[in-house]
Amino acid sequence: MRWWDIGPVLTLEAELFPEDAWSEGMFWSELAHARGPRATRRYVVAEDAHGRIAGYAGLAAAGGLGDVQTIAVARDQWGSGLGGRLLTDLLQHATAFECDEVLLEVRVDNTRAQKLYERFGFEPIGFRRGYYQPGNVDALVMRLTVQGTETDSDGC
């Protein structure tokens, strides 16, 4: 994702998440950490055949822990596999960031997204009550252990 993608991303964000859409400032702040040798973020967009942004996703990484910050797919792309491709990109970058685990929050009423995360091996580990505001919707917290980072019985 680049700065010129923020406008179209905001349009899609408002369409998909009318109650709890990210602000322009939130995206700018995330992108500020996504470039250069000390980057701790990965933000990506996907375009449809007409050059329109059809999806986007973001990951934050620090101290061996990755966090899926956002993932969104335009409704006309649902079922196309785009969400899976975006998540695959984030997980590849979690490995590059040397993350041992990746966490995410997902609305408890978003079963479509929960099923996607489960297919990738994420497991529920708890809830954050009233996480999504202003609707006061709970978040399901999910975790994935990144392949190849588990320690053996010798602690190596």
Side-chain angles (χ1 to χ4, degrees), residues 131-153:
Y131 183 80
Y132 292 99
Q133 294 297 328
N136 202 39
V137 177
D138 295 344
L140 174 65
V141 181
M142 301 181 82
R143 176 180 57 207
L144 173 70
T145 301
V146 177
Q147 293 294 333
T149 61
E150 303 87 2
T151 57
D152 63 23
S153 60

Side-chain angles (χ1 to χ4, degrees), residues 45-60:
V45 295
E47 295 180 347
D48 66 13
H50 306 290
R52 181 183 64 96
I53 291 187
Y56 55 91
L59 173 83

Side-chain angles (χ1 to χ4, degrees), residues 61-89:
L65 182 64
D67 191 80
V68 174
Q69 300 289 293
T70 187
I71 186 164
V73 174
R75 284 187 179 90
D76 66 348
Q77 297 292 316
W78 287 4
S80 71
L82 179 56
R85 291 191 300 276
L86 289 167
L87 186 55
T88 296
D89 180 275

Side-chain angles (χ1 to χ4, degrees), residues 9 13 15 19 103 108 111 113 116 135:
V9 164
E13 177 83 0
E15 177 187 319
E19 289 185 1
L103 298 174
V108 294
T111 56
L116 169 68

